[in-house]
Amino acid sequence: MRRLIAQQFQVSRQNDFALLDHIGGECAGAVTFLKPGHQLPHPAMGGEVEWLNDDELISILDELPRRPMLAGKDGLRLSLAGAQDKLPVVVNGDRIGLPRNGTPSSHILKPAIRAVEDSVSNEGFCMALADAMQLKPARSRIYSIRDHHFLLVERYDRTHDSSGNLHRLHQEDFCQALSVVPEMKYQNEGGPDLAQCFDLVRCVTGTPCARI
């Protein structure tokens, strides 16, 4: 995915800031990279959303494998972590749209994984099972448009104020919080284990202590 995005913009896939310059308008958590002189829209204004009809959604689902995050399409600047095709979107009732000009997305659209049979149904079932077990997963629902199936997952790094306005919520994973580089994110490659993760949580949520 990173390679395809870098090819789209003719930059090195190792050049993080060049990539963020092109797709850093909507990142994980509350991080947004803006062009000089630009400002985020006020939450009360609702932001700018390009609402999609069924034909447009199907076209996007077909295009995602070739153009991850719709990189470079009509000025969109969207990004998400992970190797699976996905797209930040705004959902309002049954309407699905693309966030523009700094508008926060509310959901993540996850299309079917071609190499995995029934991936949408499987992930939807697992999310429902986790909810039944009171594990409090992100809320999700399966959508079908003609022969296309996808999962809509409500973002957990978003919150609503008393007026119903959507806000970004800062978040970090344990590798970020522990300054572990992506190449070492897995425990068997030198990444953090559960003990380190729990020590960090105890450190930052209780009495101040020395950083790990």
Side-chain angles (χ1 to χ4, degrees):
M1 185 179 294
R2 187 181 179 109
R3 176 181 56 81
L4 289 172
I5 293 173
Q7 287 178 348
Q8 176 67 37
F9 296 113
Q10 295 297 296
V11 298
S12 168
R13 64 177 178 175
Q14 304 302 323
N15 191 332
D16 297 333
F17 287 100
L19 291 170
L20 285 170
D21 184 41
H22 290 288
I23 65 171
E26 173 72 338
C27 300
V31 177
T32 303
F33 290 84
L34 301 173
K35 299 291 185 181
H38 287 218
Q39 292 183 334
L40 288 174
H42 192 279
M45 300 300 292
E48 182 180 337
V49 181
E50 178 188 346
W51 298 109
L52 304 168
N53 58 38
D54 286 357
D55 290 335
E56 290 167 332
L57 266 172
I58 288 174
S59 177
I60 285 173
L61 290 170
D62 289 338
E63 190 173 8
L64 278 177
R66 303 186 304 273
R67 191 195 289 257
M69 310 295 173
L70 300 181
K73 183 178 177 66
D74 301 328
L76 287 170
R77 300 178 66 239
L78 310 172
S79 66
L80 286 169
Q84 180 184 347
D85 287 329
K86 57 179 76 76
L87 186 68
V89 295
V90 179
V91 176
N92 185 347
D94 290 328
R95 294 195 301 172
I96 301 173
L98 299 174
R100 289 190 170 276
N101 297 324
T103 300
S105 58
S106 63
H107 289 67
I108 297 174
L109 185 155
K110 305 181 75 173
I113 303 173
R114 297 184 180 184
V116 180
E117 184 177 359
D118 292 331
S119 64
V120 172
S121 298
N122 181 62
E123 186 170 356
F125 168 77
C126 290
M127 298 287 273
L129 179 61
D131 185 57
M133 296 176 67
Q134 300 182 3
L135 296 178
K136 297 183 179 179
R139 287 184 286 186
S140 63
R141 48 181 167 162
I142 295 175
Y143 268 71
S144 296
I145 300 178
R146 299 167 198 164
D147 60 342
H148 289 68
H149 309 286
F150 57 91
L151 192 70
L152 280 179
V153 183
E154 188 172 337
R155 298 193 66 146
Y156 64 83
D157 54 352
R158 299 290 183 265
T159 185
H160 290 84
D161 60 25
S162 58
S163 299
N165 300 315
L166 188 66
H167 296 265
R168 293 179 172 92
L169 180 67
H170 181 63
Q171 61 95 45
E172 295 181 16
D173 62 29
F174 279 107
C175 286
Q176 289 173 297
L178 291 167
S179 299
V180 175
V181 297
E183 292 78 13
M184 297 175 60
K185 67 179 180 179
Y186 295 114
Q187 183 178 342
N188 65 344
E189 296 177 340
D193 57 22
L194 284 175
Q196 291 174 287
C197 295
F198 276 105
D199 284 346
L200 177 64
V201 171
R202 293 189 184 101
C203 181
V204 301
T205 59
T207 303
C209 61
R211 188 68 182 272
I212 297 173

